[in-house]
Amino acid sequence: MDCRSATCPPMRILGIETSCDETAAAVVEDGPSIVTNVVHSQIEAHAPFGGVVPEIASREHIGRMTDIVTRAVEPLGGMEAIDGIAVTTGPGLVGCLLVGVQMAKGLAMARGVPWVGINHLEGHLSAALLASEPPSYPHVALVVSGGHTHLYHVRGFGEYELMGGTRDDAAGEAFDKVAKVLGLGYPGGIHIDRLAQQGDPNAIRLPRPMATLKHLDFSFSGLKTASIEYLRSQGGTLEGQELADFCASLQEAIADILTKKAVAAAQQVGAGGVVLAGGVAANSRVRSLLEERCSKKRLWAFGPPKPLCTDNAAMIAAAGWVRLAGGESTGWDEEVRSRWPLDGLEAPSP
Ligand code: KG4
Ligand code: ZN
């Protein structure tokens, strides 16, 4: 593990992610760059319930985990090629996290390699490290997913200072709950994104709660409620152009609030740009509006490729690659955490 010279074989890290409803395993090597990346989505198992059912999710992880890990390491000739293991230890659904962590510990013990527990949100931020030209530090990161909508001042890897966050629902939750009322399926963000392509973003004026720049907190529950009330006033659901217009208007309101605050945060701390992370970072309007607003303020904007925005194990392996290369490893008694604020982390030693 200490061998870092040009003649050394590359250090290969197996990443495992099971914090919610994706069973994922990936291998990254020095760069960090992706060697393999396998994601199994449990969408079909949860779809009839309109959201993730924790017990079903844990059982699905148990049923799939071995196959997913095998598919991630097989192209390299198996576990012999792996020098360290990174696994999400929180935040997330406890029963789900335990499946990945037990797998990681067992493999690390059998192979005699170190393992490291990774914060899922640090994982999302580490998707940016997999780019051929990763964004520079310091920057502002907008972590926006089904459970999080937070702005961080990122001074370096592992140095995260919370600048603002949602006081109620996450942006992804607003997308998903409104999509559920529309009968679009779960998770709904991607369906709203698709339908919005044909719609007029100015068709329906939806509220933009907490759009003030006096602070950097968010609130999406009012927008969610106003959207659902609007739908009820229209008879419960919409079709055709009206549906497209509604989706575009909702998406525009969410993108407007998110990007306005992200740009303000970057200006406030004098950062060079904004990194997008998390499932909602895959939203086409959030990406294009951030790009537009950043360039007006001479800031850069970075969004990882869309498949690396939603939950995956390559981002966990990338974070693990940095931490394991810094000599960090986690003890056998480490537990999983349902909550784990990103700003409580420590940077790896230089
Ligand atoms: O990061 P992620 O895969 O899981 C969590 O850690 O929560 O994020 C999932 C969230 C869901 O709310 C989903 O609807 C949303 O990301 N999402 C999108 C898009 N793709 C995924 N929201 C809007 N537009 C998208 N294209
Ligand atoms: Zn996530």
Side-chain angles (χ1 to χ4, degrees):
M1 290 294 296
D2 294 336
C3 179
R4 312 295 304 145
S5 84
T7 54
C8 285
M11 182 169 85
R12 293 201 176 110
I13 305 302
L14 168 66
I16 295 177
E17 156 64 39
T18 61
S19 67
C20 191
D21 60 341
E22 262 88 25
T23 314
V27 177
V28 306
E29 62 183 19
D30 296 347
S33 59
I34 297 177
V35 183
T36 61
N37 186 18
V38 186
V39 182
H40 168 73
S41 164
Q42 302 177 358
I43 284 177
E44 280 181 21
H46 300 287
F49 306 96
V52 177
V53 181
E55 184 174 339
I56 294 178
S58 311
R59 288 176 189 273
E60 283 276 315
H61 286 309
I62 289 174
R64 297 280 178 172
M65 189 81 266
T66 313
D67 174 52
I68 299 299
V69 170
T70 304
R71 282 165 54 195
V73 298
E74 223 163 33
L76 291 107
M79 280 302 296
E80 287 300 302
I82 300 300
D83 304 297
I85 299 174
V87 60
T88 308
T89 45
L93 297 169
V94 166
C96 294
L97 291 164
L98 284 169
V99 179
V101 171
Q102 283 310 107
M103 175 58 103
K105 282 186 185 176
L107 289 172
M109 190 172 270
R111 268 284 293 135
V113 296
W115 76 282
V116 65
I118 297 296
N119 179 301
H120 181 78
L121 304 176
E122 179 168 80
H124 273 303
L125 293 181
S126 301
L129 305 179
L130 294 162
S132 51
E133 282 184 43
S136 57
Y137 297 110
H139 57 245
V140 158
L142 174 62
V143 183
V144 61
S145 68
H148 297 88
T149 302
H150 290 91
L151 278 165
Y152 296 93
H153 182 200
V154 185
R155 292 202 170 81
F157 182 92
E159 298 175 64
Y160 315 111
E161 191 185 315
L162 184 66
M163 299 185 73
T166 182
R167 295 190 187 172
D168 41 56
D169 293 352
E173 216 173 325
F175 272 120
D176 295 343
K177 296 242 167 90
V178 177
K180 191 175 172 181
V181 174
L182 284 165
L184 296 178
Y186 180 87
I190 193 163
H191 301 298
I192 291 185
D193 192 349
R194 178 178 43 84
L195 289 161
Q197 309 293 324
Q198 313 302 326
D200 171 5
N202 301 312
I204 302 147
R205 182 72 197 170
L206 292 167
R208 281 146 169 77
M210 278 197 206
T212 170
L213 291 178
K214 285 187 194 140
H215 59 75
L216 295 169
D217 282 347
F218 302 93
S219 164
F220 288 102
S221 85
L223 172 57
K224 179 189 72 183
T225 309
S227 303
I228 294 172
E229 268 167 17
Y230 173 82
L231 290 175
R232 289 210 177 111
S233 76
Q234 301 298 304
T237 194
L238 299 170
E239 282 177 8
Q241 191 56 45
E242 281 177 352
L243 175 60
D245 286 347
F246 173 79
C247 290
S249 303
L250 172 65
Q251 180 174 269
E252 191 67 19
I254 293 176
D256 182 26
I257 302 164
L258 290 174
T259 57
K260 196 179 271 175
K261 294 224 169 183
V263 169
Q267 288 187 299
Q268 190 174 305
V269 294
V274 179
V275 168
L276 270 177
V280 180
N283 183 267
S284 39
R285 186 56 181 151
V286 172
R287 293 167 83 97
S288 67
L289 194 56
L290 183 70
E291 197 79 66
E292 217 175 274
R293 288 185 167 164
C294 278
S295 88
K296 276 191 191 144
K297 302 288 180 191
R298 296 181 185 277
L299 298 165
W300 50 257
F302 179 91
K306 290 184 183 183
L308 294 180
C309 291
T310 44
D311 288 351
N312 65 87
M315 66 186 198
I316 303 301
W321 180 85
V322 178
R323 291 196 173 271
L324 287 161
E328 198 175 314
S329 71
T330 304
W332 299 115
D333 57 350
E334 177 76 2
E335 300 219 10
V336 300
R337 312 174 198 209
S338 59
R339 290 176 183 274
W340 187 6
L342 193 52
D343 50 353
L345 296 193
E346 282 180 21
S349 39

